[in-house]
Amino acid sequence: MERVKRYKPYEKWRIATLVGVHLLFVAHFVHWKLKGRTLAPLEFNEVLYTIHQGIVTAGFVLMAVVMVATLLFGRFFCSWGCHILALQDAAGWIMDRLRITRRPIRSRTLIWVPIAVMFHLFIWPQILQLWHGVEAQAMHVVQAGGSRWSSFTTDDMWRNLPPPGVAVLTFFVCGFLIVYLLGSRGFCFQACPYGALFGIADQLAPGRIVLARDCSQCGLCTQVCSSDILVHRELQLHGMVTNPRCLKDLDCVAVCPENAVQFGFRKPPLFRKGHPMGAYGGRFSNTLGEDLFLAAAFLLAMPVYRGLYDKVPFLLAVALALCSAYLLLVGWRLLRRNVLQVRGIVLKMDRALRPAGVAAMACIVLMAGLLAHSAVVQYHTMAGRAHFRRIAQQQAAPIDHRVLDKAIGHYESALSLGFLRQMDMQQELASLLLQRGDAIGAAALLQSILAEDPSHVEARHRLAGIVAAQGDMDAAVRHWEQVLAAGRERSGGRSRELIGRSALDLGAAHAGGGDLPRARMAYLKGLERLPGEVPLLVALGGVESRMGMDADAVAHFEEALRTGGATPMLHNNLGALYLRMGNDGKALHHFMGLAELRPDDARARYTVGVLLARSGRPRQAEEHLVRAVQLAPQDQRAAQVLATLREQEGLHPMPQQATMP
């Protein structure tokens, strides 16, 4: 196609904006690598955590800002700020240079996919919560800390992003493959749920592409439109573009030789008579039967791809299902039609397949075979995990060994048939094998995980538990030390918790063997990984107390008290340490705190009474001592101190019945 001349520099400004977005990505990544903590990802996916868990995220704030702007200026963000659209436009530009033909498909059914995806992500979970009577989460901000989910800053920038390999596949499928098969911006119009939201908001926006003066209907605006909109027809009929697919990239404004097409403000389409939305108007690419075939193929492929091998994210699954559905339709046409040409390539002529048709059919058969194989793997995966959840929900109830055997069978089938062995599935299978008493099989699975990823915290911690139960404490200690030295925290899992437990287990093992200095070092290493972790602070303080390091023990107990809140144990330990250090005032403070938390603790009452008596407050001391005698009449110490106190103060002697054991 001959390149149409543009008369205004909107295209260059838009390219510069999209390049700037990617430069910001790079700067964001570099800042995280240099500082270890950075702004939480500005990803629209994080809106889901706000909707479902009430956590205000940076992505939610960005979405709110963009939605407000869209309600004013129309659907512009996709064209000027979306990295996926930039990728699609770049792919289209490359295909044009390589003379690869691409055409949009106009389907009666696939056009509803983005709306359905949006409903599934944002609305359906809310309906389920209402149905089950689950109270909606209140909006709240979560502070950063380790890999825990946080609102605005994080040290885990990839917390909601796919691994690099999956990201590359996503860019290829959503940026190149879908552009070739479904047309320019095919992902935006056939898959993207955020685009669907912006399209709805666009119908309320006064900002439009408008007809500002007389137009000769030359059609150049339609020719340059990458969104497959009949721009000249909509301008003629409505005086503006009403189609929600309009991304306001302003190419139509730039190309108009009469300067008749401009961006302006008009009454939004939703409030106009007849509510014009710029439908295809009969320009469908397929017959009704073919469109129904596309819809059925998509609905079959979608659950197969979703979460496949625990690696395919939801939107990539949507894109793969769309591409697969279209390729299956091409295969169906190859079987049924006498002549078939796709994207300018003749695949079939006079009922005979051309070489290109043979290659296309081979690719489609291979794709269909892979889809069927993936369906079998997904069946075993989903069935196994359904049984796994049933077992987990039984809790203290006796294990149903029939369910356990079925779960193990499905897991083993999924792992043996699949092209990839998911670590999480191997870990879950190891858990099931342990419940069946097969520690050897469980250990083999965990070692397989560690061979692939030595930093896998969950696998190493569980393997340490197995070898410790077998009596090999040296091996268990090595695994716990590896967790502390090289264990990698993962978002959404238990890695942070298990790092702390590994430090506690390691310290307890050393302390149990009488090696208190090594126990202390284990707890200190744990605190290096998890600063402020209360159980580690308490354990460290306990070891230091046993080592006679009273000042250090007090410092760590006090930090635990500030971080984790008051507990009877902390008040008791601090009170005892301050007593040992001769600081009766602070000891009294903590024992009074203990008495408040445990008002029926006779020993705490006795200690508070003694300390109050020492500090010259006999009447308050008497109250606590009397209560101590009432709670533990067999303990003569409180009665003796109380009698002495009353004798010194000239008070009435204690009633006889209160002193009886």
Side-chain angles (χ1 to χ4, degrees), residues 208-211 235 240-241 246 248 250 252-253 261-263:
R208 320 299 309 173
I209 301 299
V210 302
L211 186 64
L235 291 174
M240 64 178 185
V241 175
C246 178
K248 313 296 186 294
L250 303 183
C252 55
V253 175
V261 184
Q262 297 181 9
F263 178 84

Side-chain angles (χ1 to χ4, degrees), residues 308-517:
L308 183 63
Y309 299 118
D310 290 338
K311 292 187 179 297
V312 179
F314 183 76
L315 291 183
L316 176 57
V318 174
L320 286 171
L322 286 168
C323 294
S324 298
Y326 181 76
L327 288 173
L328 290 172
L329 176 62
V330 172
W332 179 249
R333 287 172 172 173
L334 276 172
L335 293 175
R336 292 178 56 84
R337 293 187 181 182
N338 297 331
V339 177
L340 182 64
Q341 177 177 294
V342 176
R343 306 294 182 269
I345 301 174
V346 178
L347 302 182
K348 190 175 184 180
M349 180 66 70
D350 297 328
R351 300 184 179 181
L353 290 176
R354 294 292 183 89
V358 173
M361 182 59 80
C363 291
I364 292 168
V365 170
L366 177 61
M367 183 273 297
L370 290 174
L371 183 63
H373 176 270
S374 299
V376 174
V377 172
Q378 279 287 66
Y379 162 72
H380 286 296
T381 300
M382 295 170 68
R385 285 186 170 155
H387 291 309
F388 183 87
R389 286 191 294 270
R390 280 185 60 187
I391 294 169
Q393 290 169 358
Q394 289 177 352
Q395 298 178 347
I399 295 175
D400 187 336
H401 286 277
R402 291 178 302 175
V403 176
L404 180 61
D405 290 340
K406 287 181 180 180
I408 291 173
H410 284 300
Y411 273 99
E412 290 176 340
S413 296
L415 289 171
S416 63
L417 292 172
F419 296 125
L420 300 175
R421 293 175 63 86
Q422 307 99 291
M423 290 185 184
D424 288 345
M425 180 175 287
Q426 292 180 76
Q427 185 178 320
E428 291 164 5
L429 177 57
S431 174
L432 294 171
L433 291 175
L434 280 175
Q435 294 183 64
R436 194 165 68 176
D438 186 1
I440 295 175
L445 281 169
L446 296 172
Q447 288 168 347
S448 174
I449 295 174
L450 293 175
E452 183 177 349
D453 181 8
S455 66
H456 198 285
V457 171
E458 293 91 336
R460 194 171 291 282
H461 182 270
R462 177 154 290 184
L463 185 57
I466 292 175
V467 296
Q470 294 172 343
D472 190 351
M473 288 304 299
D474 290 338
V477 164
R478 287 194 296 271
H479 285 302
W480 288 323
E481 288 175 341
Q482 276 291 103
V483 170
L484 293 180
R488 179 173 55 88
E489 295 183 48
R490 298 190 305 163
S491 296
R494 299 178 58 212
S495 56
R496 182 180 178 86
E497 173 196 344
L498 294 181
I499 288 172
R501 287 179 58 180
S502 295
L504 292 171
D505 291 340
L506 179 60
H510 288 316
D515 194 343
L516 296 182

Side-chain angles (χ1 to χ4, degrees), residues 487-622:
R488 179 173 55 88
E489 295 183 48
R490 298 190 305 163
S491 296
R494 299 178 58 212
S495 56
R496 182 180 178 86
E497 173 196 344
L498 294 181
I499 288 172
R501 287 179 58 180
S502 295
L504 292 171
D505 291 340
L506 179 60
H510 288 316
D515 194 343
L516 296 182
R518 291 185 69 184
R520 180 172 181 267
M521 288 303 301
Y523 297 138
L524 287 172
K525 286 182 180 179
L527 286 169
E528 287 178 8
R529 294 294 307 271
L530 309 174
E533 194 74 6
V534 172
L536 289 173
L537 289 169
V538 172
L540 177 59
V543 166
E544 289 171 336
S545 174
R546 293 170 62 185
M547 295 173 67
M549 303 171 64
D550 291 353
D552 291 325
V554 164
H556 290 121
F557 282 140
E558 291 282 14
E559 184 181 352
L561 192 66
R562 291 192 302 271
T563 305
T567 65
M569 180 185 65
L570 284 173
H571 278 307
N572 182 73
N573 291 354
L574 283 166
L577 282 169
Y578 279 122
L579 271 181
R580 195 159 75 185
M581 296 167 67
N583 191 333
D584 287 1
K586 289 191 175 180
L588 174 60
H589 167 74
H590 285 291
F591 280 118
M592 289 188 71
L594 175 60
E596 289 179 5
L597 293 173
R598 288 183 176 172
D600 295 333
D601 188 327
R603 293 182 61 185
R605 294 282 189 174
Y606 165 75
T607 306
V608 170
V610 171
L611 291 174
L612 285 170
R614 286 183 189 176
S615 65
R617 290 180 276 180
R619 293 192 178 276
Q620 292 176 317
E622 182 190 15

